[in-house]
Amino acid sequence: MVLVLVIGDLHIPHRVHDLPLKFKKLLVPGKIQQILSTGNITDKETYDYLRTIAGDIHVVRGDYDEVGSPLPTITTPPFLSFLPFSPIHAPPPPTPTQYPSWPLSKIVTHGAIRVGVLHGHQVVPWGDVESLSIVARQMDVDVLLTGHTHRFEAFENEGKFFINPGSATGAYSGIPGTGDVIPSFVLMDIQGNVVVTYVYQLVDNEVKVEKVEFKKSYAASKVL
Amino acid sequence: MDLHEARQKWDLIFNDPLLSLTSLRQKAVATNICRTTLRSVCWKVYLTYFPSLETSTWPLILQKERQHYSNLVYKYITNPTEQMAKGGGDLSVNNPLASNDDVRCCHVSVGRGEESYGFLVGRGEPKGHMNPWQQYFADSEIRKVIRQDVERTFPDIDYFRDSRVQQRMVDILFIYCKMNQDVSYRQGMHELLAPVLLVVDQDSVELVEGATDLDPTTDVLLQTLDRAHVEHDAFSLFTQVMKSAKTWYEFNDEVFNSSRQRKQARPNVADESRMFASREPTPTEAAKLNPVVMECHRIHHEFLRTVDPQLYGHLERLGIEPQLYGIRWLRLLFGREFDMDSLLKLWDGMFAEDATLKIVDYVCLSMLFGIRDDLLQDDYSSCLGLLMHYPTAHVNPHTLIEQAVYLRDHLSQEGGVQIMRQNDVRAGRVPREHGAPPPSPSRHAGEYNHQHHPSIEAGTDNLARMTKPAAEGFAKMTKEVMKSPQVREINKAIAGVMDEVKKNVSILGENVLGRPSVDGTQSGPQKIRSEFPSGFDRLSITSTNLPPPPPLAQAPTPHSPSSRIPPPPFSDPATFHQDVARLRDVNRQMGVLVEKCVEVFEREVFGAGVSIPSPTSDAEQPVVPAPAPSPSDTVKEAALVLALVGLKHVRDVLQGKTVDFDQDIMDQIVSEAASHRRVQPQTQHQTQTQLQTQTQLQTQTQHQTQTQHQTQTQYQTQPPPEREKEREWEFVESDEVALVGTGNGGMRGGLDESILDKVERADVMEPTTTPSFQENPAPAVKESTRSTKSLPTSPSSSSSPRTPTKPPVTIDDILSDPSLASPPKSAISANKYSWILGTEEGASHRPSSNKEGLFGLRSPPPDRMAASTGNIAEGRPHIPRAHSTNTSSATNRRSSFGNHAARGDPILGIVGGSGTDILAVAGDVGHTLVRQGSGEVDPLDAANADKRRYVDEYDY
């Protein structure tokens, strides 16, 4: 039994200053084995906070992420190459072990379940079921985690399970028609071929928990 | 294992017509039945999983036990998961991240002391509605810890690398942990489970599908060894083992209290702990909380102390705590000490002997015995290494079990010795007699001997006999004195001289007087002349050939006990001092005798007129003295013989061969010397070597007498050979043994029969002096004690202003012509008593004790030095003192004695004055004489000298 926290689109500090306090109370160390983040954590401090909850953290790069973005390489201009030292004092790049350049997508395997993680801004139309199904097939995953829409979704399509944890901070979305964003994140309990998904939503400053269960059908995967 | 093989082995067990629970248990050690047949079945019987051997009842028991385990699995593993998955109740409560208010956080340490983990354990039953997820998180923590250990169980056995096996182990341990929340899971349990699971799984049999025509036995067998229920059976056996082993894993105080109540239910242990309560070091509070530490404590401080005090003392000295190795031994049931095969054998025996595993304590003991001799010779790190990595290469587990059973039944020192001897036999050595380790050439051996002196070491026979505290203190004091190298030097020198003299005397006695030779030497009389001085040169060599002192166990016959005052009970210090004083007097008399004899020798051998060697004599070839035809020569020969006999006798007395000093011999010699004093022999035969020795010794004498306190320089300039040093040590040891015997009053050295005969004959010959001792009443004895106390201030020193009751007889009078120096008896005794009274009156004599020589030995006070004539007279005043304490007999002889002493012949100078040390010992001989006169002390060689010295220091 593995408990996997799925969280993303925090947009700290650009849109929201912090996680809701009630969520912070829930997210205590020692319970969660793994964190899969759909990106847009944006700053280093938030990433470090997540790492305190669980050390095994996998993050994909969102369109606003600063931490995991590949840094522009600053090199000495050719006309100054005769100098014995570089006249441009660039800050040292983050150490690759701590802040690796995050990938755009990632696949994590838990037993029989293959979990794909993607921020989702690459998939157009954003949050479209068909497009996500295509991506899931391409990545050959049983569970596909995406974000970007700031709206919680959890549904099964063509024998695959699609989860959008929404925005954990309730940060506003630039997508037209989103409206008020409900802060939410998802906890997956993976046991064998069963994924039990607990959805934590902050409605009226109260944590609301829902449960969605997905069972991987071997027959379905064999057909594909 | 297939069904056929299992059936064969099954039949091996159950086809025994004499089969019974007892016989099956006995076979575990005797015939190794567990190994050859179905070990799991045997264990199930041993551990009372099956209470009887009636196999028809087994299926029912099996079913019950297995159902029990299945229920537990459901209760602790399946159900909580279902609860979580079902999502019953409020999701806001029943979700993974719900708050953990209901769960108490408690820290439980897991491990072997240094490693510990803190984890959450949900305790007690959930009250009301509880989030199953909290239980899940708590359980998963425990499982994590268990799995961590299980994964590294017996890394070299492939069976335990199987992940399914590991899962089984985790489940079993987890369920045990859930059932026993007080101990939870502790590191080490997995190593108890692993062999059990291995045994059960190895014996398991696959159920045959569709087999219907099974006979009832095979049916029972199949049910018993059902492979599908390996986990169930392993759990049941593990639980049985843990029933006893659980206490070793308990930690906190409440658990300890409960276990203590349990322990008190065992009466014998309770009695033992009470018995040892006074001597046993109290464990710390932390240790009290830990039953396994207490158990180690008990094994070490009670059991080991009882069966092997020596090893106990050694480990205590090194400060090796028993829990250092004991916790591992106990908790893992020796799992880390033996390989799997031996371990299973060991467990066979332990389970068979005692399902409650109390035998484990004794197995620990027998394991300690197995490495006992190595431990005793090792230092701290080696010992610890040996204990932490127990050498099991040559250890037979069944032997350990047998020894453990023996120790359980014979928990005493004798039992321990028996085990040691058994180990010796098994190792192909000669079984030892007592607890001491066998002599080994190891480099540690000598070191060890120095550290633990046998007679002081607790548990040895000597100490066991030495029950009286006074004797104990005495022996200790004596040991300290005898450790002084100078004292040993003297003892050795005297013993060496005596040895030589003895040889020569026996030869002479044979040739001249027709006495039988004691030691059977068949050399001619010419050998005497050439051997004595050369032998004197190699004192050390001959001293190493000394016969060992007679064993204490031999009860010596007291010499004519009817004519003696019976020995007073050795109880109070007053009597003790009296005895010592008597000893001192006897010693002093012996010193007088030796002096006399030496004087005779001087006169006869190194006659004053014959100091020049014969020019015709060849230095290479010993000159054979011409037989003396003249009557005067014969007389001289007889005097020599008498002197030698006297010396020999003193030697025997000193060495403890003869129990009592014989006054008659001395009187004989004294008279003999007196007669020869008048004869004044003019001619003597002398060899080149004798002359050389004489001059050499004279030089020595001059050196020593120049400054009386420089005797130490003498020893420094002439260091004894290395061999001598070794000898010294033994010498001291034997002295102590002798002392112990003397202290007990009844113990006396063994009697040399020939010497005894001779002495008795001498008694018959001249019984006149003996009554003087018989007349010595108890008060007289007391007075003699006092007189010896104040011995340095002799009444004979005329120049001493400190003795107001000084007798009119001066030392010059005594030392002068015998005819002149014969004061009346009454005068002597009056002098003596007045002198004693003077001593009692005040401490005016005490300052003389400041003049004691080096090393606490007595040296003559300077006033007497002034009064004495020449260098040799340093110790002279002792002589009249000895006589005065000797009551009133033989006054004439005494004065002649003094005359000879006054002549200042070289050899006399050597013995009498070669350093104050030898003289003091000679004085001791006199003490011994007096003591012997009361007929109660064995004047065992030089040990008495130490007694005297000790008393002197003690009294002043």
Side-chain angles (χ1 to χ4, degrees):
Chain A
M1 184 188 284
V2 186
L3 282 178
V4 180
L5 173 68
V6 184
I7 195 169
D9 290 312
L10 284 85
H11 288 283
I12 299 172
H14 304 118
R15 302 184 191 179
V16 182
H17 76 280
D18 204 357
L19 267 175
L21 195 64
K22 297 232 168 184
F23 279 1
K24 277 196 158 184
K25 274 187 179 173
L26 290 179
L27 296 172
V28 290
K31 294 180 176 178
I32 296 161
Q33 278 92 54
Q34 192 178 51
I35 295 177
L36 299 176
S37 175
T38 54
N40 275 353
I41 298 169
T42 67
D43 76 340
K44 176 175 166 294
E45 284 73 22
T46 313
Y47 172 72
D48 286 341
Y49 163 73
L50 289 179
R51 285 212 308 176
T52 65
I53 299 170
D56 185 11
I57 181 168
H58 300 272
V59 186
V60 292
R61 181 148 42 97
D63 49 351
Y64 285 89
D65 269 328
E66 301 167 350
V67 184
S69 306
L71 290 165
T73 51
I74 302 167
T75 53
T76 308
F79 63 90
L80 291 175
S81 61
F82 63 90
L83 291 173
F85 55 92
S86 174
I88 300 166
H89 298 285
T95 53
T97 50
Q98 271 193 316
Y99 306 107
S101 173
W102 292 336
L104 289 174
S105 69
K106 202 162 197 171
I107 297 172
V108 178
T109 306
H110 284 289
I113 306 286
R114 274 168 66 87
V115 182
V117 193
L118 187 73
H119 179 249
H121 64 271
Q122 307 94 332
V123 183
V124 285
W126 294 329
D128 181 64
V129 177
E130 294 299 324
S131 308
L132 289 174
S133 291
I134 293 169
V135 172
R137 274 198 296 276
Q138 281 178 338
M139 292 172 77
D140 189 20
V141 292
D142 305 304
V143 178
L144 182 66
L145 312 174
T146 55
H148 189 61
T149 61
H150 293 207
R151 208 172 67 215
F152 163 74
E153 299 265 13
F155 57 89
E156 196 177 335
N157 186 33
E158 293 178 356
K160 298 184 188 305
F161 197 44
F162 298 89
I163 299 174
N164 187 331
S167 168
T169 55
Y172 72 88
S173 169
I175 302 170
T178 310
D180 282 346
V181 178
I182 299 171
S184 64
F185 66 89
V186 165
L187 192 68
M188 289 197 303
D189 174 13
I190 303 174
Q191 293 184 70
N193 58 345
V194 178
V195 178
V196 180
T197 308
Y198 294 88
V199 184
Y200 292 81
Q201 288 178 305
L202 195 67
V203 181
D204 299 331
N205 209 22
E206 284 294 322
V207 177
K208 200 180 124 205
V209 185
E210 282 175 31
K211 196 162 94 168
V212 182
E213 205 168 318
F214 162 74
K215 186 167 184 177
K216 179 186 172 182
S217 144
Y218 288 99
S221 59
K222 270 175 190 169
V223 168
L224 294 171
Chain B
M1 190 184 293
D2 64 8
L3 182 57
H4 183 65
E5 188 187 351
R7 179 61 199 265
Q8 275 185 335
K9 293 185 171 181
W10 180 277
D11 290 343
L12 264 179
I13 302 176
F14 292 98
N15 282 359
D16 182 0
L18 298 174
L19 182 70
S20 69
L21 281 174
T22 320
S23 74
L24 194 59
R25 285 175 185 276
Q26 281 169 350
K27 279 180 186 173
V29 174
T31 67
N32 206 359
I33 194 173
C34 301
R35 185 173 164 75
T36 51
T37 62
L38 299 165
R39 181 170 264 139
S40 66
V41 175
C42 292
W43 282 14
K44 280 175 185 169
V45 173
Y46 294 156
L47 293 171
T48 64
Y49 178 89
F50 294 139
S52 75
L53 286 171
E54 188 57 51
T55 51
S56 59
T57 63
W58 286 11
L60 200 65
I61 296 164
L62 286 168
Q63 196 193 353
K64 205 181 88 190
E65 290 287 333
R66 287 167 182 173
Q67 187 58 45
H68 176 59
Y69 180 72
S70 300
N71 292 342
L72 290 172
V73 169
Y74 176 77
K75 181 180 170 188
Y76 290 118
I77 296 177
T78 320
N79 191 28
T81 319
E82 281 177 1
Q83 285 280 325
M84 290 185 298
K86 208 163 53 191
D90 193 358
L91 258 185
S92 63
V93 175
N94 184 7
N95 71 75
L97 298 182
S99 63
N100 51 2
D101 295 340
D102 297 339
V103 176
R104 277 179 290 158
C105 183
C106 66
H107 182 85
V108 179
S109 84
V110 177
R112 305 181 183 96
E114 66 279 357
E115 304 170 50
S116 64
Y117 306 94
F119 55 85
L120 290 167
V121 176
R123 308 192 72 185
E125 290 302 308
K127 281 172 282 181
H129 190 74
M130 194 191 161
N131 183 7
W133 280 96
Q134 298 304 333
Q135 195 61 55
Y136 164 76
F137 286 124
D139 292 352
S140 60
E141 282 294 334
I142 299 174
R143 280 175 167 270
K144 205 167 87 184
V145 173
I146 294 173
R147 182 165 290 280
Q148 219 170 25
D149 287 340
V150 163
E151 279 173 357
R152 49 190 189 192
T153 306
F154 291 107
D156 45 347
I157 298 177
D158 288 338
Y159 175 77
F160 297 108
R161 302 280 71 75
D162 190 343
S163 66
R164 282 171 302 175
V165 171
Q166 289 182 355
Q167 186 56 45
R168 269 179 180 167
M169 288 179 67
V170 171
D171 284 347
I172 292 172
L173 290 170
F174 174 72
I175 288 173
Y176 180 81
C177 162
K178 297 297 285 185
M179 287 176 66
N180 299 274
Q181 302 256 344
D182 49 347
V183 290
S184 182
Y185 169 77
R186 298 294 212 86
Q187 216 167 24
M189 290 181 184
H190 65 291
E191 302 213 15
L192 291 184
L193 171 65
V196 171
L197 184 62
L198 180 70
V199 163
V200 174
D201 205 8
Q202 275 179 348
D203 286 351
S204 66
V205 175
E206 196 77 56
L207 268 184
V208 185
E209 291 294 328
T212 51
D213 53 343
L214 294 172
D215 64 89
T217 310
T218 313
D219 193 37
V220 171
L221 182 148
L222 277 177
Q223 288 193 45
T224 310
L225 303 178
D226 187 2
R227 183 159 289 174
H229 293 103
V230 165
E231 191 177 326
H232 305 65
D233 292 355
F235 174 79
S236 300
L237 281 181
F238 175 69
T239 315
Q240 292 289 338
V241 173
M242 284 304 289
K243 267 184 188 168
S244 312
K246 189 181 162 187
T247 46
W248 301 329
Y249 290 94
E250 287 168 350
F251 182 71
N252 49 33
D253 45 355
E254 61 223 271
V255 174
F256 172 67
N257 289 336
S258 65
S259 73
R260 188 169 52 187
Q261 283 156 10
R262 225 176 304 146
K263 268 177 196 158
Q264 279 167 355
R266 310 194 316 210
N268 54 339
V269 174
D271 286 343
E272 278 161 9
S273 42
R274 234 176 285 129
M275 192 171 73
F276 284 90
S278 54
R279 295 154 54 196
E280 177 184 347
T282 45
T284 58
E285 282 302 311
K288 278 181 182 168
L289 297 183
N290 214 333
V292 68
V293 174
M294 287 298 290
E295 176 118 7
C296 295
H297 204 264
R298 202 175 70 235
I299 292 173
H300 187 70
H301 291 294
E302 290 178 22
F303 296 165
L304 183 61
R305 186 179 194 147
T306 307
V307 299
D308 193 351
Q310 201 180 356
L311 181 59
Y312 171 80
H314 184 66
L315 291 179
E316 280 294 290
R317 213 171 293 118
L318 294 179
I320 292 181
E321 296 284 323
Q323 56 263 31
L324 287 177
Y325 55 92
I327 287 183
R328 194 171 73 170
W329 286 7
L330 291 177
R331 281 198 174 156
L332 305 185
L333 276 178
F334 313 105
R336 287 280 174 91
E337 320 302 324
F338 296 89
D339 58 36
M340 183 54 90
D341 194 47
S342 305
L343 180 67
L344 293 180
K345 279 187 187 173
L346 187 69
W347 283 21
D348 292 342
M350 288 197 296
F351 295 161
E353 277 304 325
D354 194 353
T356 57
L357 295 182
K358 280 175 207 145
I359 192 76
V360 170
D361 294 359
Y362 304 97
V363 173
C364 287
L365 279 185
S366 56
M367 281 177 72
L368 284 176
F369 272 118
I371 55 173
R372 175 181 188 273
D373 292 340
D374 295 330
L375 285 177
L376 281 179
Q377 292 172 6
D378 277 343
D379 56 358
Y380 179 83
S381 57
S382 314
C383 272
L384 210 54
L386 209 57
L387 288 167
M388 299 301 266
H389 307 281
Y390 190 85
T392 51
H394 308 294
V395 175
N396 182 4
H398 289 167
T399 309
L400 285 181
I401 296 293
E402 284 164 2
Q403 291 181 346
V405 172
Y406 182 84
L407 282 173
R408 183 184 58 188
D409 300 336
H410 303 84
L411 192 63
S412 65
Q413 200 175 341
E414 288 71 31
V417 171
Q418 185 64 30
I419 296 296
M420 284 179 237
R421 300 175 67 176
Q422 195 180 12
N423 283 338
D424 282 345
V425 171
R426 282 179 203 273
R429 295 189 296 263
V430 178
R432 69 196 78 190
E433 290 301 320
H434 52 85
S440 69
S442 153
R443 65 192 159 85
H444 299 291
E447 191 180 313
Y448 169 76
N449 279 336
H450 280 276
Q451 281 173 1
H452 323 292
H453 203 274
S455 66
I456 297 301
E457 188 70 41
T460 56
D461 295 340
N462 292 337
L463 190 57
R465 286 180 193 158
M466 197 170 66
T467 49
K468 296 190 172 60
E472 202 168 351
F474 201 144
K476 198 188 288 175
M477 190 69 72
T478 313
K479 191 184 85 171
E480 283 163 12
V481 173
M482 288 308 285
K483 270 180 179 168
S484 163
Q486 284 79 14
V487 176
R488 269 177 263 148
E489 198 75 31
I490 296 156
N491 287 334
K492 212 166 41 207
I494 290 176
V497 173
M498 294 307 161
D499 203 35
E500 274 308 309
V501 170
K502 178 195 170 191
K503 251 186 236 165
N504 296 327
V505 162
S506 21
I507 296 157
L508 257 184
E510 215 170 12
N511 291 339
V512 179
L513 295 181
R515 285 190 181 182
S517 168
V518 172
D519 54 1
T521 318
Q522 295 300 323
S523 48
Q526 68 272 20
K527 204 181 169 188
I528 309 157
R529 310 264 174 191
S530 59
E531 192 175 352
F532 175 62
S534 59
F536 202 82
D537 274 343
R538 33 171 236 262
L539 289 182
S540 56
I541 299 164
T542 51
S543 69
T544 54
N545 298 328
L546 281 177
L552 276 172
Q554 279 182 289
T557 323
H559 176 61
S560 54
S562 56
S563 65
R564 309 287 187 192
I565 296 166
F570 196 83
S571 53
D572 56 337
T575 329
F576 173 69
H577 292 313
Q578 282 181 17
D579 290 346
V580 172
R582 265 179 236 120
L583 266 181
R584 287 159 61 182
D585 282 347
V586 171
N587 273 337
R588 211 144 45 91
Q589 278 190 310
M590 280 164 62
V592 170
L593 179 57
V594 168
E595 269 181 332
K596 197 50 58 183
C597 295
V598 166
E599 189 187 356
V600 171
F601 271 114
E602 277 176 81
R603 192 185 59 234
E604 302 294 339
V605 179
F606 309 113
V610 210
S611 58
I612 302 162
S614 164
T616 56
S617 65
D618 194 349
E620 298 294 316
Q621 180 183 337
V623 175
V624 181
S630 69
S632 68
D633 274 356
T634 315
V635 171
K636 273 183 280 178
E637 286 285 334
L640 264 181
V641 168
L642 266 177
L644 285 171
V645 164
L647 280 177
K648 190 177 160 191
H649 180 61
V650 170
R651 186 199 74 101
D652 285 346
V653 168
L654 283 177
Q655 282 190 330
K657 282 181 179 176
T658 304
V659 172
D660 292 330
F661 183 80
D662 197 354
Q663 180 67 25
D664 307 336
I665 291 178
M666 179 172 145
D667 292 333
Q668 257 181 309
I669 291 166
V670 168
S671 63
E672 195 62 41
S675 67
H676 275 270
R677 175 72 181 88
R678 301 187 189 96
V679 169
Q680 290 287 346
Q682 294 300 320
T683 56
Q684 267 302 338
H685 296 283
Q686 207 170 29
T687 63
Q688 181 82 23
T689 38
Q690 278 171 340
L691 183 68
Q692 284 171 353
T693 317
Q694 181 190 355
T695 40
Q696 190 181 343
L697 294 175
Q698 270 176 328
T699 333
Q700 280 184 9
T701 317
Q702 282 164 8
H703 277 304
Q704 287 168 351
T705 49
Q706 274 170 5
T707 50
Q708 60 171 343
H709 290 294
Q710 277 182 351
T711 45
Q712 197 174 10
T713 326
Q714 173 75 19
Y715 292 116
Q716 283 167 353
T717 51
Q718 293 182 348
E722 203 58 34
R723 204 154 63 103
E724 227 167 64
K725 281 185 179 168
E726 296 168 8
R727 176 66 196 169
E728 280 167 28
W729 184 248
E730 295 170 35
F731 204 73
V732 173
E733 280 186 3
S734 62
D735 288 345
E736 283 193 26
V737 171
L739 256 188
V740 169
T742 318
N744 270 339
M747 304 283 182
R748 288 199 181 160
L751 205 56
D752 189 346
E753 288 301 326
S754 62
I755 299 287
L756 184 64
D757 287 343
K758 199 174 60 187
V759 169
E760 277 171 348
R761 198 167 17 174
D763 269 347
V764 173
M765 278 165 58
E766 214 171 319
T768 48
T769 50
T770 318
S772 68
F773 293 106
Q774 287 170 339
E775 288 157 13
N776 249 357
V781 169
K782 214 173 268 179
E783 280 157 4
S784 74
T785 311
R786 289 180 193 128
S787 72
T788 48
K789 278 181 194 170
S790 52
L791 191 123
T793 54
S794 163
S796 56
S797 53
S798 59
S799 59
S800 171
R802 292 172 300 168
T803 50
T805 57
K806 183 172 63 68
V809 184
T810 64
I811 188 162
D812 287 329
D813 292 332
I814 295 176
L815 295 180
S816 63
D817 197 5
S819 55
L820 300 175
S822 53
K825 267 187 194 178
S826 55
I828 288 291
S829 40
N831 289 341
K832 183 178 86 176
Y833 291 117
S834 62
W835 178 67
I836 288 161
L837 287 172
T839 314
E840 274 185 289
E841 275 166 20
S844 62
H845 302 288
R846 289 201 177 178
S848 67
S849 70
N850 296 335
K851 300 295 186 288
E852 280 192 3
L854 298 169
F855 327 116
L857 303 181
R858 185 184 308 283
S859 69
D863 51 353
R864 270 192 288 151
M865 279 291 296
S868 58
T869 60
N871 292 338
I872 46 99
E874 260 185 61
R876 189 58 42 219
H878 281 291
I879 295 163
R881 179 78 253 126
H883 278 272
S884 64
T885 53
N886 244 350
T887 70
S888 54
S889 68
T891 321
N892 286 327
R893 291 189 206 124
R894 193 188 316 130
S895 36
S896 69
F897 199 3
N899 255 335
H900 288 298
R903 288 177 57 223
D905 287 325
I907 295 235
L908 184 65
I910 288 157
V911 176
S914 73
T916 48
D917 296 355
I918 286 186
L919 187 73
V921 175
D924 295 341
V925 175
H927 289 293
T928 318
L929 192 66
V930 168
R931 169 75 198 264
Q932 183 271 338
S934 319
E936 54 197 57
V937 166
D938 175 17
L940 288 171
D941 55 22
N944 295 323
D946 303 294
K947 279 187 188 176
R948 187 190 72 85
R949 234 166 273 126
Y950 156 61
V951 171
D952 283 348
E953 289 165 7
Y954 184 80
D955 283 345
Y956 293 146

